[in-house]
Amino acid sequence: QVQLVESGGGLVQAGGSLRLSCAASGRTFSRYAMGWFRQAPGKEREFVAAISWSGGNTYYADSVKGRFTISRDNAKNTVYLQMNSLKPEDTAVYYCAARYSVYDIIIYEYDYWGQGTQVTVSS
């Protein structure tokens, strides 16, 4: 099993930046594909970004492409989401997710989820 703990959320003005971190437990983190999702009040959870276990493959939702960057440090068992040029519509609880993968590919369905971290962007 993998346990995930997100951090780095907070309140930021529009146009600002935040970096979210997701620390994972377990010895096989380097074989887990990772993703970030978000859920705004009254809305369904939506996909934000994903990264393969080597970090060589990434994928983004159109709404964040060019503004957000997903990365990982397998030596630190951590995945990051760098968020730049933040907009009020980015306000949401952000969740990281993990799934073991035999192949170094992007995954869209996940088995393990963190508790989430709140990101609020003021206008």
Side-chain angles (χ1 to χ4, degrees):
Q1 280 200 349
V2 175
Q3 292 186 328
L4 305 172
V5 179
E6 301 96 334
S7 61
L11 174 64
V12 63
Q13 288 188 334
S17 298
L18 281 175
R19 188 176 81 156
L20 305 184
S21 299
C22 173
S25 65
R27 294 175 293 177
T28 58
F29 175 75
S30 60
R31 287 298 183 264
Y32 279 81
M34 302 295 294
W36 285 97
F37 291 74
R38 66 186 182 187
Q39 187 167 21
K43 295 187 177 182
E44 293 187 353
R45 185 172 62 196
E46 64 173 357
F47 167 80
V48 174
I51 190 166
S52 63
W53 48 251
S54 75
N57 300 293
T58 58
Y59 187 75
Y60 299 90
D62 288 342
S63 59
V64 307
K65 199 173 297 182
R67 299 188 300 122
F68 291 11
T69 302
I70 189 171
S71 62
R72 64 191 295 158
D73 185 338
N74 287 343
K76 296 182 178 180
N77 281 17
T78 302
V79 64
Y80 304 98
L81 185 68
Q82 178 67 45
M83 306 186 295
N84 299 329
S85 303
L86 282 162
K87 305 175 181 179
E89 51 263 44
D90 294 318
T91 295
V93 177
Y94 283 71
Y95 300 90
C96 71
R99 183 173 183 175
Y100 182 84
S101 177
V102 173
Y103 302 105
D104 187 25
I105 59 174
I106 296 295
I107 297 289
Y108 298 100
E109 294 184 357
Y110 295 87
D111 298 319
Y112 303 101
W113 295 83
Q115 83 291 347
T117 185
Q118 176 71 47
V119 171
T120 303
V121 184
S122 63
S123 58

